[in-house]
Amino acid sequence: MVERFWGAAAARDTTDWWNADRPPRHVEQREVATGPLFKVVLAAGGAQSSSDAQRKIKGGGVYLDGQRQQDPMLALAPGEYQLRVGKLWVVQLHVQ
């Protein structure tokens, strides 16, 4: 179907994406300060308040590099992480 409307290259790209378990495309980059996970989620824009961030983490809706995190006080070391909150919100974090 994709090939019919968008061409062979787009069809191959879509097939490769689908076979790779549909990783997010066009991920935004964010720089945040190191600290507890709930503050990092808040600073990155994944929550509207500290309590919202803690609720999302405790509820199992926050992933770092594909691993579910459930400790809001987890101290993040400086580095690069992919942060996913919920099913759709994803950013590439640079924690300093």
Side-chain angles (χ1 to χ4, degrees):
M1 183 73 129
V2 173
E3 185 174 2
R4 180 176 174 188
F5 292 102
W6 301 101
R12 276 191 305 278
D13 180 53
T14 301
T15 300
D16 292 344
W17 172 78
W18 186 269
N19 290 336
D21 292 328
R22 298 175 301 284
R25 296 181 179 183
H26 313 294
V27 177
E28 273 189 62
Q29 305 283 323
R30 303 268 171 96
E31 288 191 20
V32 295
T34 188
L37 180 58
F38 79 93
K39 287 189 178 183
V40 171
V41 170
L42 179 62
Q48 295 180 359
S49 67
S50 292
S51 59
D52 182 37
Q54 290 183 37
R55 181 185 55 78
K56 288 177 179 182
I57 295 165
K58 288 177 183 176
V62 174
Y63 294 80
L64 278 177
D65 293 335
Q67 303 257 333
R68 177 179 283 160
Q69 302 298 317
Q70 293 186 301
D71 179 9
M73 296 307 293
L74 174 72
L76 285 184
E80 298 283 330
Y81 303 93
Q82 184 181 71
L83 173 66
R84 180 166 60 96
V85 179
K87 292 184 178 180
L88 302 175
W89 193 87
V90 180
V91 294
Q92 186 68 32
L93 289 181
H94 177 70
V95 178
Q96 319 177 5

